[in-house]
Amino acid sequence: MRWHLSRLALFAVMFVALANLLPSFYARATRADRYSAAVTMSPVTDGFVIRQVNGENIAYTTKDGTPLTVRAYKAQLPFMYRHDMAKWGRIPFEVAGRSFDFTQASKTQMSRLSPREVNRRFSPVNVLFEALPDGASLTMPDDLLLITDRGLQWYDVEKGAVDKPTTARLMRVLDKGGVQFPLTFFTVNPDPRKPFDDGALLVDANKALYRLQCQKGRFVLERVLERVPEGFLFARVEENRRREYRALLATDTALYLLDHAGYLRPMLAQGFDASKSAASLWITPVGKTITVRDFGPANPVYIRATALDAADKVTATMALMTPQERLDRQRWVRRFGDLISPVAIRQFKPTSTKVFFMFEPPSDLLWALGGNILWLLLFVAYRRRRPGRACVASRLNERVTYALIIVGGLPAALAALTAGNLVSDKPRPA
Amino acid sequence: MRWAVLTRLIQKEWLKLRLWGWVPLVLTAVVLLDTYLTLHTIAAMHGKAATWLGIVQKEQVFFGHLLWVFVGAGVFWALLSMVPECIEGRLRLSLHLPADARGVLGMPVAVGVVSVLSLGLLAGAGLALVNALLGMPWLMSWPMVVTLLPWCLAGVVAWCATAACVAEPSRKRKCALLLAGAVYISMLGAYRGFDAMQTSWPLYVLVTVPWVFVPFTGAMRIKEG
C-alpha cells in the first residue's frame, strides 16, 4: 500500500478552493432579498414609526401596523425631516408643548456604532489638533502623534524623525497627570472640518480615562474618570455643536454617554452585544431613540428600539420581528447551500475589518448529509460509467475516497475526480 | 542525492532562468518607483501629516499593484522553468533516466518557491525603503510591509499552479489546476487595510503548503500512468 502524497496535496488544494468558491458563488446568486428597517420614536404621537425597505418597495407604518403615507411618516418625525417641514410651510411646529423654529429643530444628533468600529484596535498613528487656533477654524496639524508601549511621541513628518523636545514636554505632562503606559485605548477625531476640538481621549494601563488637549502649544491633561466601566472596548469623541455630551463609550454589553461634567450616563440599549450588534442613537431636543441590530444569518428579532425622554428615562421599547417569509426563505437558501457544500470557507465577517480563514459548519446536518450521499452516488455512477478512464484502484482507495466524499460533499467529489487514486497497492516504480 | 548531481540540477535551473529571469525584478523596481512618485506627489500637494493620517485612518493600500507583480512573477518564472522541461516529451525522458525523479522535479520547484519568496523579501525591503525616504514613521510602515506576506504566498501559488498546469498531461486537470490557483490567489490577495490577516496568516500558510507538492502530480502521472 502506498499513499500518493502529491495527489493528496492536489486533493487538499482543490477541496479548499472549491469549499471557498462554491458557497461564495451560491451566496452571491441567492442574495436577492434585501431588507432593512428603521424604527424611530415619534415625538408627535409618542409612538414608534417604522420604515421598512424590501427590494424596491418602501413601507411606512406605525408600531401596530397602520400604514402611513410618506408625508405622514415624515410629519411624525419633524426633527429628522425638518427640511421637508420647512418646504411644506410647517415650521415653526409644536411638540411636547414647546414651539421649535428651524434653528432649534436642527439641534439633533445621530451617532452610529458598528461592531467593526468597536472591535478594531486603536491606531498607533494620530494627530493632536491645536484646540485654540488663531483663526476661526481648525487646521490640520503638521506633526503626528505616535503611540508606543512606553509613551507618546511627537513626530515631525518634515524631518521624518521624533521631535525630542516636544516629546519630552508631552511626557512630563503625562507623567505628572499619572498616566500609566502602555495605553489600552486612544481616540481622537482627525477631521479638520469639525466645529471645535475636544482633544483626545486615552485610557491608561490602570483603566483610567484622560483627556489630552493642545491649547496654544501647551499640553493640557485632565483625568476624566478614575476607571472606565467594566468591559470597556471603545470610545469616540463626538464634538457636536449641541455639546450635550463629550463622548460615546461602549463596553461589551452597554453604551454610555460621557458628559462635559465627567459623568457617565448609561444608555439602556436593549440587547446590545458589542461583538455582533450595530447601534444607533438619535437625539432630538425632546428625547432619544436607541436602536440595536444584530448581525447574523437569520435573527428572528430584526431590530430592538428603546425610547428615552429628555431626562434619559425609558418611555417605550419595541422589538421589530424579521418578516416570517424572509426567515423561511433564508432557511431554505441555507439548506440548499448545505446540499452544495457541507462546509464553507469564509474570509470575511460583517463584524470585523480583518481577513480570516474560517470553516463554517452546515446549518442543517441532515441536509448536508443527504447532499453528501447524493454526491457520493453520482461519483460512483460516474466512475462505473467510465471504468476504462478511471484507474482500477484498490478497495482501500475506494473506501478512503468514499469516506472523504461523505464528509466533504461536492467539493470533495470534484477534488477526488481531479486528484485520481489517492492510495495504491502497487509498489513505487523504479 | 549526490552533490555533483545537485550542482548539475542547479546549473540547469540557472541556464533556464539566466536570460529572462530578471524581468520580474525590474518590474518590482518600477512598481516601487511608481508608488514612491505617487505618494510623493500627494504628500507635496496635501502635506505629509494629512497624507499619512489619511492613509492610516482609511487603511488605504496604495501599493496594491505589488500583488499582481508577485502573481505575474510566479507565472513567468514557472513558464521559464517548466516549459523547457516538458516540451517534446522531455519530461517523460527525464523521469526514465536512472536518477531520483523527486530530485529532478524537486529542484525546479525549490528554485521557483525560493525565487518568489526572495522577491517578496526584496519587495518588502523596497517598500520599507520607499516609506523611509518619504519620512513615514516605522509604526506606520511595518503593517504595510507585513501586508505583502499573503501576496508573496499568492506568488508561490501562481508558480506552483502554472508549473503543475504545464506538466499535467490531461486538459481537464489543467483547467482544474488553473481554477484552483485563481481561487487561491483571490483568497490570498483579499485585503481590508494593512496586515488584514494578522491573526489568520498561519492558517493561510498551512493551506498553501500543499501547493508545493502539486507540480509533482501531473509529472508523476506521466511516469506511473
Side-chain angles (χ1 to χ4, degrees):
Chain A
M1 186 186 75
R2 185 164 60 92
W3 290 87
H4 292 277
L5 181 64
S6 61
R7 292 186 190 182
L8 283 168
L10 178 56
F11 178 90
V13 298
M14 285 302 298
F15 179 77
V16 169
L18 291 168
N20 174 254
L21 183 75
L22 295 175
S24 77
F25 271 30
Y26 176 76
R28 287 165 64 190
T30 53
R31 196 178 295 157
D33 61 333
R34 282 187 201 156
Y35 175 80
S36 68
V39 178
T40 317
M41 170 57 80
S42 163
V44 178
T45 60
D46 281 336
F48 286 107
V49 284
I50 302 162
R51 178 179 183 270
Q52 292 180 86
V53 183
N54 196 350
E56 292 175 359
N57 302 317
I58 304 176
Y60 302 96
T61 60
T62 59
K63 182 184 175 183
D64 56 14
T66 310
L68 295 170
T69 61
V70 183
R71 191 164 174 147
Y73 172 81
K74 289 182 175 178
Q76 292 205 14
L77 300 171
F79 295 105
M80 191 177 280
Y81 295 101
R82 55 189 176 273
H83 290 94
D84 291 289
M85 295 291 280
K87 185 181 166 188
W88 299 330
R90 292 175 66 175
I91 276 189
F93 58 83
E94 200 166 294
V95 164
R98 289 166 60 190
S99 180
F100 292 89
D101 61 17
F102 190 84
T103 311
Q104 290 164 327
S106 301
K107 289 183 176 173
T108 60
Q109 191 168 349
M110 170 65 93
S111 276
R112 290 194 175 91
L113 210 56
S114 74
R116 278 186 192 177
E117 196 180 0
V118 172
N119 297 304
R120 189 177 170 190
R121 185 173 155 66
F122 67 90
S123 168
V125 181
N126 285 283
V127 283
L128 195 62
F129 283 82
E130 170 53 59
L132 303 173
D134 287 338
S137 55
L138 297 166
T139 51
M140 195 68 192
D142 295 328
D143 302 317
L144 295 174
L145 189 65
L146 307 182
I147 301 158
T148 69
D149 286 348
R150 285 178 292 173
L152 301 187
Q153 291 178 337
W154 199 261
Y155 188 83
D156 186 331
V157 290
E158 285 307 322
K159 289 181 187 162
V162 174
D163 179 344
K164 287 185 179 165
T166 312
T167 300
R169 202 153 49 84
L170 173 60
M171 284 306 292
R172 270 199 301 277
V173 172
L174 294 172
D175 288 342
K176 200 175 165 190
V179 176
Q180 296 295 313
F181 286 90
L183 298 184
T184 54
F185 191 79
F186 187 99
T187 183
V188 69
N189 177 2
D191 185 356
R193 292 167 299 178
K194 58 190 180 182
F196 60 94
D197 177 66
D198 222 352
L201 287 179
L202 52 105
V203 179
D204 75 353
N206 293 335
K207 303 283 181 191
L209 180 74
Y210 294 85
R211 186 167 75 102
L212 176 67
Q213 251 194 337
C214 181
Q215 295 176 354
K216 298 280 180 200
R218 205 166 54 86
F219 296 112
V220 178
L221 184 76
E222 175 194 359
R223 186 184 293 206
V224 181
L225 290 174
E226 288 297 325
R227 198 168 174 82
V228 287
E230 199 57 40
F232 170 84
L233 288 173
F234 175 81
R236 185 167 63 209
V237 188
E238 293 281 310
E239 290 159 342
N240 187 278
R241 285 183 200 282
R242 297 172 66 246
R243 293 182 191 252
E244 183 188 328
Y245 63 96
R246 174 166 281 155
L248 179 66
L249 272 68
T251 67
D252 44 5
T253 55
L255 293 176
Y256 296 87
L257 296 184
L258 176 70
D259 68 17
H260 286 266
Y263 289 108
L264 271 183
R265 288 153 52 187
M267 294 287 107
L268 295 168
Q270 271 191 310
F272 178 75
D273 178 346
S275 65
K276 60 178 182 180
S277 305
S280 78
L281 181 63
W282 166 243
I283 305 176
T284 68
V286 294
K288 301 180 179 68
T289 305
I290 304 169
T291 55
V292 174
R293 198 195 137 204
D294 285 354
F295 283 99
N299 293 313
V301 178
Y302 184 77
I303 206 164
R304 288 188 170 84
T306 309
L308 310 175
D309 63 13
D312 290 347
K313 289 208 173 114
V314 177
T315 54
T317 59
M318 83 163 278
L320 178 69
M321 307 307 283
T322 309
Q324 191 57 43
E325 66 270 20
R326 179 181 152 83
L327 288 175
D328 290 343
R329 185 184 183 281
Q330 283 193 340
R331 190 160 50 243
W332 282 104
V333 164
R334 286 163 65 198
R335 280 176 176 168
F336 280 107
D338 293 339
L339 272 184
I340 291 171
S341 180
V343 287
I345 293 173
R346 305 273 185 215
Q347 291 189 281
F348 303 109
K349 289 181 190 174
T351 54
S352 172
T353 53
K354 297 295 170 193
V355 179
F356 299 89
F357 187 89
M358 301 171 290
F359 279 101
E360 192 179 275
S363 62
D364 191 323
L365 271 176
L366 277 178
W367 278 75
L369 188 63
N372 293 359
I373 292 170
L374 174 72
W375 297 119
L376 177 62
L377 293 174
L378 288 171
F379 179 83
V380 172
Y382 179 79
R383 277 265 166 112
R384 291 205 173 157
R385 195 173 66 84
R386 312 179 72 182
R389 298 294 297 272
C391 295
V392 179
S394 65
R395 298 290 295 173
L396 178 64
N397 179 69
E398 277 188 355
R399 283 179 198 154
V400 168
T401 310
Y402 295 167
L404 288 170
I405 296 172
I406 278 289
V407 176
L410 178 60
L414 293 174
L417 280 177
T418 310
N421 297 328
L422 302 173
V423 194
S424 167
D425 49 6
K426 293 180 196 167
R428 179 184 295 280
Chain B
M1 190 181 290
R2 284 185 308 152
W3 177 248
V5 178
L6 201 65
T7 49
R8 292 290 181 276
L9 287 172
I10 292 172
Q11 194 184 9
K12 188 170 73 165
E13 290 308 306
W14 168 246
L15 289 174
K16 285 188 284 184
L17 295 174
R18 64 181 174 161
L19 282 180
W20 296 100
W22 49 268
V23 171
L25 299 176
V26 174
L27 193 63
T28 308
V30 170
V31 169
L32 285 172
L33 181 66
D34 174 65
T35 304
Y36 171 81
L37 291 174
T38 306
L39 267 189
H40 183 263
T41 311
I42 296 172
M45 287 168 72
H46 298 284
K48 282 185 178 175
T51 308
W52 295 174
L53 196 71
I55 289 170
V56 169
Q57 296 290 331
K58 293 177 192 164
E59 295 208 35
Q60 207 166 3
V61 179
F62 54 88
F63 47 89
H65 292 88
L66 281 172
L67 166 65
W68 302 109
V69 170
F70 289 128
V71 172
V75 172
F76 184 73
W77 277 332
L79 289 174
L80 278 187
S81 183
M82 292 304 281
V83 169
E85 293 277 1
C86 299
I87 53 170
E88 297 165 357
R90 287 183 201 169
L91 188 62
R92 184 184 292 272
L93 187 65
S94 301
L95 295 176
H96 285 85
L97 290 174
D100 184 7
R102 283 169 297 182
V104 172
L105 286 169
M107 185 52 72
V109 175
V111 169
V113 170
V114 169
S115 305
V116 176
L117 293 177
S118 307
L119 183 72
L121 274 178
L122 279 175
L127 185 62
L129 180 69
V130 164
N131 292 345
L133 286 174
L134 289 163
M136 213 180 267
W138 181 242
L139 263 177
M140 233 180 115
S141 188
W142 174 246
M144 295 179 190
V145 175
V146 177
T147 308
L148 299 185
L149 178 69
W151 300 359
C152 197
L153 291 179
V156 171
V157 170
W159 193 97
C160 295
T162 310
C165 190
V166 171
E168 174 62 53
S170 155
R171 280 188 196 155
K172 285 178 191 165
R173 285 203 179 94
K174 279 181 195 282
C175 293
L177 284 164
L178 284 182
L179 176 75
V183 173
Y184 258 78
I185 289 165
S186 126
M187 282 169 71
L188 291 163
Y191 58 85
R192 280 179 173 180
F194 306 126
D195 191 16
M197 290 181 184
Q198 62 182 18
T199 54
S200 48
W201 69 262
L203 283 172
Y204 280 96
V205 173
L206 195 69
V207 295
T208 304
V209 165
W211 269 107
V212 175
F213 301 97
V214 170
F216 293 81
T217 320
M220 294 308 285
R221 234 187 276 278
I222 290 173
K223 183 167 182 171
E224 297 176 8

